[in-house]
Amino acid sequence: MDLLHDSGVQMVQYLQTRYNSSQDWFMFVSFAADLRSTFCIFFPIWFHLCEAVGIKLIWVAVIGDWLNLVFKWILFGQRPYWWVHDTDYYKNTSAPIIEQFPITCETGPGSPSGHAMGSAGVYYVMVTAVLTSILQRHPSKNFKNRCLRGILWTGFWGVQVCVCLSRVFLAAHFPHQVIAGVISGMAVAEIFEHVSPVYKGSLKRYFYTTLFLFCFALGFYLLLKVLGVDLLWSMEKAKRWCAKPEWIHIDTTPFAGLLRNMGIFFGLGLALNSQLYLESYKERQGQQLTFRLCCILSSLLVLHLYDSFELPTNVELLFYLLSFCKSMAEPLTAVAIIPYCVSHVLWGQEKKIL
């Protein structure tokens, strides 16, 4: 592993030296590949255009990130920015100098890459959704369909390459970790291509799934802690070797991500089984374009406001609780509250005119 890590550090050095002027681009790509983009941008757009795809995005993102957490706890993956200082591999030579950035110092283990895994899963769902929709309308395998398929998959791999290079450039991951992330993300998305019951999940299914995911992760953590294995070992590494203490954020800790995803997931279940959603769904049977656009724009605006609201980080348990509640409110707002309000504004005015 030391040889593999050393070659990864050399790759980090090469990218940082050769493409130092592109650091803003790499930071933007890494920021855009975060699952927050899925929850705050891709999900509301897709949900109001095609509910099944929107719901699938949440399932793939949440289950994929949960699996990523479990894999990280099992694999004990290092990160370049701390390994290069912490290893004995360079005891007879000077350690390579690699640069750190404000979003480098994530506190969880490094393998597989969560950004790469999440990005691969989410974009795989979107690409296959577009292709399925087009092929259903134009089933013949003509030249245009082949060109479109080639363009979409080229775009997919272009995004994945950018995400992988970004995470390596920022010294947050080794090359083998981002490759493992892409493969894992595609595998999760492909599995959900064949799991249709998720689109009609009852509130009970969402509740028990959320409970299972949380209890399994917590139980796994406590069991290994009893056995003398500290799954939060990486936090000490991050705090020790991060260039600036203010670059370490509580929302990058393993349990912060877990609670955020559980909130999103359970919030979706509450929204889909709420009376507000059912009433707005009945009124929009015509699927008017105006209604969809109003819901998309309103959701993007409100979710952006949610995302910009910073939670207090003084008390860790309070932060986790508020993070869960805030995350739960996001799909509840986009799926139930906003469509209900928009439907009443649009159809309420029509009823008054009539």
Side-chain angles (χ1 to χ4, degrees):
M1 289 302 295
D2 282 342
L3 289 174
L4 186 62
H5 287 152
D6 177 57
S7 64
V9 169
Q10 301 304 321
M11 181 66 173
V12 173
Q13 262 195 322
Y14 173 79
L15 290 175
Q16 290 185 349
T17 303
R18 185 73 180 271
Y19 302 101
N20 185 262
S21 60
S22 302
Q23 62 179 269
D24 290 339
W25 164 251
F26 285 124
M27 289 179 67
F28 168 76
V29 170
S30 188
F31 175 79
D34 192 273
L35 283 181
R36 290 174 181 171
S37 299
T38 300
F39 299 143
C40 297
I41 300 176
F42 297 140
F43 168 68
I45 293 175
W46 274 103
F47 181 82
H48 294 299
L49 291 177
C50 180
E51 290 188 9
V53 177
I55 295 172
K56 187 191 295 184
L57 278 177
I58 295 296
W59 277 80
V60 169
V62 169
I63 300 299
D65 205 48
W66 179 82
L67 287 172
N68 181 264
L69 174 63
V70 174
F71 289 155
K72 283 180 174 178
W73 278 349
I74 293 174
L75 298 176
F76 288 83
Q78 304 285 332
R79 289 184 185 268
Y81 80 90
W82 76 55
W83 180 85
V84 73
H85 300 291
D86 201 53
T87 182
D88 293 330
Y89 185 76
Y90 302 111
K91 61 182 178 181
N92 296 325
T93 59
S94 58
I97 299 175
I98 57 176
E99 190 176 354
Q100 295 182 25
F101 304 89
I103 58 176
T104 295
C105 301
E106 296 202 19
T107 59
S111 186
S113 166
H115 281 72
M117 188 170 177
S119 174
V122 167
Y123 278 86
Y124 189 94
V125 170
M126 293 192 291
V127 168
T128 53
V130 172
L131 289 175
T132 300
S133 176
I134 292 175
L135 292 177
Q136 285 177 347
R137 297 177 184 179
H138 309 284
S140 58
K141 297 182 179 179
N142 53 34
F143 179 72
K144 290 183 179 179
N145 284 353
R146 291 173 183 170
C147 286
L148 180 62
R149 186 188 297 271
I151 291 172
L152 288 174
W153 284 116
T154 300
F156 170 84
W157 285 111
V159 170
Q160 304 318 310
V161 169
C162 287
V163 172
C164 291
L165 291 177
S166 166
R167 301 306 290 165
V168 174
F169 175 90
L170 296 173
H173 288 289
F174 293 100
H176 69 277
Q177 295 173 342
V178 293
I179 293 173
V182 171
I183 295 173
S184 302
M186 292 177 63
V188 173
E190 179 60 28
I191 290 173
F192 275 93
E193 288 292 318
H194 308 285
V195 183
S196 56
V198 298
Y199 310 136
K200 298 180 181 179
S202 63
L203 180 58
K204 184 181 293 186
R205 172 177 292 175
Y206 277 93
F207 174 77
Y208 284 127
T209 304
T210 303
L211 188 63
F212 169 77
L213 295 177
F214 177 75
C215 290
F216 183 94
L218 181 61
F220 186 62
Y221 167 77
L222 294 176
L223 175 62
L224 291 186
K225 190 171 184 178
V226 170
L227 296 176
V229 180
D230 182 14
L231 292 179
L232 300 182
W233 61 272
S234 58
M235 294 184 65
E236 184 274 330
K237 302 279 189 183
K239 292 177 180 179
R240 182 179 180 185
W241 297 115
C242 185
K244 296 182 179 181
E246 60 268 24
W247 287 353
I248 297 178
H249 304 288
I250 190 173
D251 60 352
T252 66
T253 59
F255 280 108
L258 177 65
L259 268 295
R260 181 180 63 247
N261 291 336
M262 295 304 95
I264 291 285
F265 189 76
F266 186 61
L268 177 63
L270 282 176
L272 292 175
N273 293 277
S274 68
Q275 192 62 33
L276 294 180
Y277 168 78
L278 296 176
E279 288 186 20
S280 63
Y281 183 81
K282 290 178 182 177
E283 293 195 14
R284 58 177 167 151
Q285 290 297 318
Q287 292 291 302
Q288 296 182 15
L289 180 61
T290 303
F291 176 81
R292 295 185 188 183
L293 291 178
C294 287
C295 288
I296 290 173
L297 294 176
S298 300
S299 298
L300 291 175
L301 175 61
V302 174
L303 293 185
H304 175 71
L305 294 176
Y306 278 170
D307 191 53
S308 62
F309 179 73
E310 295 186 4
L311 301 174
T313 59
N314 298 331
V315 182
E316 194 169 350
L317 288 178
L318 178 62
F319 173 83
Y320 291 152
L321 177 62
L322 293 177
S323 178
F324 177 85
C325 295
K326 174 186 172 184
S327 300
M328 187 171 61
E330 292 178 5
L332 192 60
T333 300
V335 172
I337 297 176
I338 287 179
Y340 178 81
C341 294
V342 170
S343 66
H344 272 260
V345 170
L346 294 179
W347 282 282
Q349 289 181 348
E350 291 180 3
K351 291 176 182 178
K352 289 180 180 178
I353 293 175
L354 293 175

